[in-house]
Structures are given as structure tokens and as C-alpha cells.
């Protein structure tokens, strides 16, 4: 059980660290694209690690206690994690595309591949 607790605490610490880094990046970065990158990438990784800790916790207590409520809890977390991964990346892409189409240009971009592209 000690190894399991170490793994759970490690996953929780990594998840919280990524979430804090995402919040700091959201405050500190200069334009919408870099802020969006910090918010979606870091919080997605933070949520993944925190969810993995919850899933391991649920499966472990289901095996030890034999109570199915822990298994249901872990399975709900897996479904929520899958939805979170899909919607974070899709939402970030849609927000970035809308920002570019509305005329917000990147501040420090070296190459702008969308400049000549016809955005419809």
C-alpha cells in the first residue's frame, strides 16, 4: 500500500503543478494564442494526472473492499477524462481560429502560415 500511496501522491503533485503552471501562463503570457496554449495544455495534463490518481484509487479500493461503488467512481472518471481530452483540444482550436479570423494577430510570431490561407 505504501507504493500505491506514493504513486497517488506523485500523480496528485504533478497534476496540481501542471494546473498551477497553466494558471500562471494564463496571467503572464502576452497574447491570446500563447495564453490559450498555456491554459489548454497545462490544465489538460494536470487534469489527466489528477484523474489517473482518482482512477487508481477507485480500482484499488474496489479490489480491496469488493464494493462496486469504487469501480463505478473510477469508470465515471475515465469517461470524464476522455471527454475532457477531446473537448479541451477542440475548444482551443476553435477559439484560436475565431481569434485569428476576427483580426487578432500573434504578437511574436516569426512565421504566419495562415496569412495567405483562405479561412472559411
Amino acid at each position: 500500500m505504501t507504493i500505491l500511496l506514493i504513486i497517488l501522491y506523485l500523480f496528485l503533485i504533478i497534476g496540481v503543478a501542471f494546473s498551477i503552471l497553466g494558471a500562471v501562463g494564463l496571467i503572464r503570457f502576452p497574447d491570446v494564442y500563447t495564453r490559450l496554449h498555456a491554459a489548454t495544455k497545462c490544465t489538460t495534463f494536470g487534469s489527466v494526472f489528477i484523474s489517473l490518481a482518482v482512477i487508481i484509487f477507485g480500482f484499488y479500493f474496489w479490489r480491496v473492499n469488493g464494493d462496486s461503488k469504487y469501480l463505478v467512481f473510477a469508470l465515471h472518471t475515465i469517461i470524464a477524462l476522455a471527454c475532457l481530452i477531446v473537448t479541451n483540444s477542440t475548444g482551443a482550436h476553435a477559439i484560436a481560429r475565431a481569434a485569428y479570423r476576427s483580426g487578432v494577430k500573434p504578437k511574436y510570431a516569426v512565421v504566419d502560415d495562415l496569412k495567405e490561407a483562405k479561412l472559411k
Side-chain angles (χ1 to χ4, degrees):
M1 173 133 162
T2 310
I3 295 293
L4 183 68
L5 282 177
I6 291 172
I7 292 171
L8 287 177
Y9 287 144
L10 185 66
F11 278 178
L12 287 174
I13 289 169
I14 291 171
V16 168
F18 270 116
S19 296
I20 289 172
L21 287 174
V24 169
L26 192 59
I27 294 169
R28 298 278 304 176
F29 284 158
D31 62 352
V32 67
Y33 304 104
T34 53
R35 288 179 182 171
L36 189 62
H37 179 75
T40 55
K41 297 291 183 190
C42 289
T43 57
T44 300
F45 280 129
S47 300
V48 164
F49 279 105
I50 291 171
S51 297
L52 284 175
V54 170
I55 291 166
I56 291 170
F57 172 82
F59 279 122
Y60 175 75
F61 277 100
W62 169 63
R63 290 282 298 199
V64 169
N65 296 335
D67 194 358
S68 64
K69 69 179 176 183
Y70 295 111
L71 179 64
V72 170
F73 186 65
L75 294 176
H76 282 181
T77 307
I78 291 170
I79 293 168
L81 181 62
C83 293
L84 182 85
I85 290 171
V86 170
T87 57
N88 264 1
S89 59
T90 306
H93 179 77
I95 292 170
R97 185 175 172 93
Y100 192 85
R101 290 186 74 186
S102 67
V104 178
K105 302 296 181 206
K107 287 188 180 182
Y108 300 109
V110 177
V111 177
D112 187 6
D113 289 336
L114 293 177
K115 191 174 187 180
E116 292 92 26
K118 197 174 190 180
L119 295 174
K120 290 187 178 182

